Amino acid sequence: MAEHDPDSRGWLRSHPLAHELVRSAETDVPAPGFEERLLDGLRSDRLGASSAQHSTADDSDFDAVDAVTDQRVQAVGTEARAAAQAKSPSPVRSRSAWAAYISAVAIAAIAVFAIWTIRGKSEQRPELAPRPIRAPAAQTEPNANAPCEQAVRADPALPLIDDFEDGNGRLLAHGGRFGTWSYIAVDGAGPALVRPLAPEAMGKPNNRHALHARGAERHDWRAVWATFGPACYDASAFAGIRFTGRGPAEIALQLDTVDAIERKYGGTCETDCGHGHRMRIELGDRWERYEVLFRELVQGAEVPPGARRAFDPRRLNALAFVVDPGSESFDFWIDDVEWIAR
Amino acid sequence: MGVVAKLPRPAADPTPRTEGDDAGEVRLRWAVAQHSRFVYRTLIRFGVRQADAEDAAQEVFLVLARRLAEVPVSSERGFLFKTAVGVASTRRRSEQRRAELFDVRLDGAAVAEAGPEQLVERLRLRRLLQRALDELGADQREVFVLVELEGLTAPEVSRLLKLPLGTVASRLGRGRRSFLEAVERLKIDSDLKDFQYG
């Protein structure tokens, strides 16, 4: 490489790694309307306005929601590691897998019970299967104030959250709800965010797109994430959430309410924030339907019982499919995400 | 250099220009049309996050608007470059560590085939390269960015930064060596961190 030749402008392109910097320089372009916004700002300055007005109303709505995602990402790495160290209950399995699983568990339970009875000892009973989640003994009442004064109520007649058939990385917008799908990666190097996470083509005429994520074994924390807009979304008209999924992967379905989010990020939480309500799910290698009821969602075991909050579907802020630290390599698809009717 | 450059530079004019300053308005519009993307890229190359680059570009052009009378005609690009470097430096100092965003909307080339994990890898590589860029001395970095990333020739950089051609060449050579050394060092550091982490 001609390091000393000032006319060799292609020098950087020939470097196997540094080429990416050239590539980024070529693709680092501002959003459409950039020049107009600059000129508007200059005019505003001349007229004494404090700052330029950016973006259209729609864009700024998305910007605000995206900003919440950006800010939240700062905290998730720490949360993730804590959550991984205190694993929540056994993962949910698909309905077809359940029958075999429950049979095996029942046999095991009988065997364990028999041994325990014969021994006459009060050994601790092992966790055998996902159990119905009981409400934690000590609950902190959610803060009833803003931002939920402006909450958008989900329409019971419109359960679909997204089927990805539009091929874009945005939540299906209706009834005042909007949002963007993102992919979040947290490693030792820090958090990284890919947005929007565009669905991948399925190549089927009746089901063209689905979300897809896959990664190697050596990862820290990953999530397919959508922050609802407005900041507080009321899904209390529904009883839970269902989706179609395919693995193999062990993930957690996580719903965050504004009460888990710090005030500075637009939530209402004062202390011990950032712990979403979740359910672990083991995705099999065939497409299956998975259902999680709101009452089954619980904050991770890393949250002390006294600090746990009840899940309040009137105060939703984000929906995520999370791959926790310590999980094996993952390769999963998500499709047809919708609320479950009461 | 033209006559304009030989005139004594007027003192900074703190008063806002009037509506009747049509020449200034035209010149600003021209500068935005010609150089706004260059300013945007420069800000990113000097460490401003992409999400903040538009606001920072606004800052840069406000400086130009307020000091337009001081800036010789045809020197706008050099003035904007120096101002962008200064704005980026100020912002970097005040900015906390924040998540890096691969904004797919702004990087259409990324969308076609790559899965999210590949985009994360590319984002991390960009961050490593950006750090390598950050390690260059200010003088080397300016020349390096203008030649390697903006595609200017050495004589063009010489005119833009008002530097002798020999100085541009030597800064470029040193910048290239320093950049490669920084990449290798950071790459090794990064691999070691991953190893320890895993």
Side-chain angles (χ1 to χ4, degrees):
Chain A
M1 285 190 276
E3 285 175 19
H4 301 288
D5 178 5
D7 291 328
S8 59
R9 282 177 290 168
W11 177 84
L12 195 58
R13 288 175 186 274
S14 60
H15 189 279
L17 286 178
H19 170 255
E20 179 63 31
L21 194 60
V22 179
R23 193 173 178 185
S24 73
E26 289 166 352
T27 55
D28 283 342
V29 291
F34 172 56
E35 290 178 18
E36 289 75 18
R37 289 191 295 279
L38 279 182
L39 290 168
D40 285 348
L42 294 174
R43 279 189 213 103
S44 300
D45 182 64
R46 290 184 64 182
L47 296 172
S50 57
S51 64
Q53 296 296 311
H54 288 192
S55 310
T56 62
D58 280 350
D59 284 345
S60 60
D61 286 345
F62 275 98
D63 289 348
V65 170
D66 290 345
V68 171
T69 307
D70 294 355
Q71 291 164 337
R72 284 279 290 123
V73 169
Q74 308 310 310
V76 293
T78 326
E79 295 163 21
R81 283 176 203 170
Q85 284 160 7
K87 296 246 179 183
S88 39
S90 310
V92 167
R93 287 168 168 77
S94 72
R95 291 196 179 286
S96 60
W98 263 114
Y101 182 67
I102 288 173
S103 305
V105 163
I107 293 166
I110 291 165
V112 168
F113 182 72
I115 293 166
W116 178 68
T117 309
I118 291 166
R119 283 186 174 179
K121 291 181 182 175
S122 59
E123 290 174 355
Q124 188 173 0
R125 189 180 175 193
E127 280 199 7
L128 301 171
R131 290 171 298 173
I133 306 302
R134 295 186 194 89
Q139 302 287 350
T140 307
E141 277 303 309
N143 189 341
N145 60 13
C148 289
E149 287 163 3
Q150 307 283 324
V152 162
R153 244 186 111 85
D155 182 346
L158 297 170
L160 188 61
I161 297 171
D162 207 346
D163 61 4
F164 311 104
E165 291 306 291
D166 52 17
N168 68 33
R170 288 185 169 177
L171 289 178
L172 191 65
H174 57 54
R177 179 198 68 206
F178 59 93
T180 307
W181 291 101
S182 304
Y183 184 75
I184 303 171
V186 179
D187 283 315
L193 187 65
V194 173
R195 185 176 61 220
L197 174 59
E200 219 170 285
M202 303 274 289
K204 296 177 181 172
N206 59 343
N207 190 4
R208 290 171 299 172
H209 297 101
L211 285 184
H212 185 205
R214 69 174 167 190
E217 188 172 344
R218 217 176 73 170
H219 69 273
D220 192 334
W221 189 91
R222 297 288 187 271
V224 171
W225 185 287
T227 304
F228 291 114
C232 189
Y233 183 60
D234 180 353
S236 60
F238 299 101
I241 191 167
R242 71 162 69 91
F243 65 94
T244 310
R246 195 184 83 183
E250 192 173 311
I251 63 171
L253 172 79
Q254 180 169 319
L255 285 169
D256 281 2
T257 66
V258 291
D259 305 303
I261 296 166
E262 285 182 69
R263 281 189 185 278
K264 65 181 176 183
Y265 300 152
T268 62
C269 182
E270 299 281 4
T271 56
D272 200 19
C273 307
H275 305 293
H277 290 75
R278 50 180 17 225
M279 171 64 80
R280 286 175 60 215
I281 299 171
E282 192 175 295
L283 299 177
D285 54 9
R286 293 172 52 191
W287 283 101
E288 301 278 3
R289 200 89 173 125
Y290 297 87
E291 292 188 353
V292 176
L293 299 176
F294 290 150
R295 63 180 163 78
E296 294 176 309
L297 293 168
V298 66
Q299 289 177 305
E302 77 279 7
V303 183
R308 289 182 188 171
R309 296 180 175 85
F311 178 72
D312 187 346
R314 296 168 302 171
R315 303 167 71 79
L316 289 182
N317 179 267
L319 158 67
F321 299 92
V322 176
V323 184
D324 284 321
S327 305
E328 295 178 354
S329 59
F330 59 93
D331 184 347
F332 67 89
W333 295 75
I334 301 289
D335 202 0
D336 298 328
V337 187
E338 61 182 8
W339 303 116
I340 300 171
R342 280 190 174 279
Chain B
M1 208 48 85
V3 176
V4 176
K6 291 180 180 171
L7 292 173
R9 286 188 171 187
D13 177 12
T15 57
R17 291 174 301 114
T18 65
E19 284 297 318
D21 191 357
D22 290 339
E25 179 83 30
V26 168
R27 199 174 158 204
L28 269 181
R29 281 181 166 279
W30 176 85
V32 167
Q34 289 293 311
H35 303 311
S36 58
R37 287 172 179 247
F38 166 71
V39 166
Y40 183 90
R41 291 192 301 268
T42 300
L43 287 161
I44 293 172
R45 297 286 75 78
F46 281 80
V48 175
R49 295 169 76 241
Q50 193 159 11
D52 299 326
E54 186 164 328
D55 282 343
Q58 188 81 57
E59 244 179 87
V60 173
F61 277 95
L62 282 174
V63 173
L64 175 67
R66 289 168 183 169
R67 299 180 60 185
L68 197 60
E70 294 174 58
V71 181
V73 173
S74 300
S75 297
E76 292 87 352
R77 194 179 197 199
F79 179 86
L80 287 167
F81 179 75
K82 287 285 188 184
T83 307
V85 170
V87 165
S89 167
T90 308
R91 283 190 168 238
R92 268 205 320 275
R93 279 198 297 270
S94 62
E95 200 171 64
Q96 295 174 345
R97 189 180 182 215
R98 295 163 71 180
E100 296 288 329
L101 168 66
F102 197 119
D103 193 332
V104 178
R105 288 167 300 186
L106 299 180
D107 193 347
V111 184
E113 300 297 328
E117 200 66 28
Q118 290 164 284
L119 296 182
V120 167
E121 286 306 311
R122 280 184 54 193
L123 184 63
R124 296 236 154 98
L125 177 56
R126 285 186 184 187
R127 185 159 48 194
L128 183 144
L129 294 169
Q130 186 66 43
R131 279 191 203 135
L133 206 53
D134 290 345
E135 294 204 0
L136 298 189
D139 292 344
Q140 293 173 19
R141 187 176 183 177
E142 290 180 2
V143 174
F144 185 88
V145 165
L146 288 169
V147 173
E148 296 299 342
L149 301 177
E150 287 300 321
L152 271 62
T153 62
E156 284 170 335
V157 174
S158 165
R159 283 194 293 277
L160 189 80
L161 299 181
K162 299 182 173 49
L163 291 172
L165 193 54
T167 306
V168 170
S170 70
R171 286 182 186 179
L172 181 59
R174 281 187 284 127
R176 285 170 172 172
R177 278 195 303 278
S178 304
F179 180 79
L180 283 188
E181 286 164 10
V183 167
E184 289 307 312
R185 189 172 58 255
L186 288 168
K187 186 171 172 293
I188 291 165
D189 287 350
S190 168
D191 288 348
L192 280 175
K193 193 190 292 177
D194 283 352
F195 178 74
Q196 287 164 353
Y197 201 72

